Amino acid sequence: MTAMDMYRFDKALWTHKLINQQQTDLMFKPGSDSHYGMGMYNDPALIVNRGYLSGWSVSNGFSHGGRIYIVLFSNVKNDKTSLSKMNSDLYSKLVATI
């Protein structure tokens, strides 16, 4: 999957082309203090998915209004590199420009 494929997936999810609104709302509903729902974190600014697989780190998310999408892929995983922090920093910078 490319970063563009992940963006298309996120957009299709947000616009209910994959599952309907009721199912999407359920998926994004936080189920604990961590804001984690069914595969996604419903943070105050973004709905985000994070994961690690076979040497890859992924952080993809979109704003609650569906105007901002951020997709980060990396093959570096260490204590110095945080895609979650990068995602948050990018979001803050993007919001400041609109």
Side-chain angles (χ1 to χ4, degrees), residues 1-18 27 40 49 60 62 69 71:
M1 174 179 280
T2 67
M4 184 57 78
D5 292 335
M6 182 63 78
Y7 160 75
R8 288 182 185 120
F9 173 82
D10 286 347
K11 185 152 185 150
L13 187 61
W14 178 253
T15 58
H16 313 297
K17 292 183 178 170
L18 294 178
M27 182 178 183
M40 306 293 271
N49 177 36
N60 62 296
F62 42 90
Y69 293 81
V71 177

Side-chain angles (χ1 to χ4, degrees), residues 36-92:
Y36 188 75
M38 298 171 69
M40 306 293 271
Y41 290 90
N42 192 333
D43 293 334
L46 294 168
I47 297 170
V48 182
N49 177 36
R50 298 183 271 279
Y52 308 97
L53 178 66
S54 302
W56 288 95
S57 299
V58 176
S59 177
N60 62 296
F62 42 90
S63 63
H64 288 269
R67 291 184 62 199
I68 296 173
Y69 293 81
I70 300 171
V71 177
L72 303 172
F73 287 4
S74 175
N75 63 350
V76 175
K77 184 174 186 294
N78 59 41
D79 294 337
K80 297 177 187 175
T81 305
S82 168
L83 293 186
S84 180
K85 180 166 177 5
M86 283 185 209
N87 199 325
S88 179
D89 291 346
L90 282 170
Y91 175 78
S92 295

Side-chain angles (χ1 to χ4, degrees), residues 17-31:
K17 292 183 178 170
L18 294 178
I19 58 177
N20 68 36
Q21 170 107 32
Q22 182 180 9
Q23 293 167 325
T24 304
D25 290 347
L26 181 61
M27 182 178 183
F28 296 158
K29 181 179 177 184

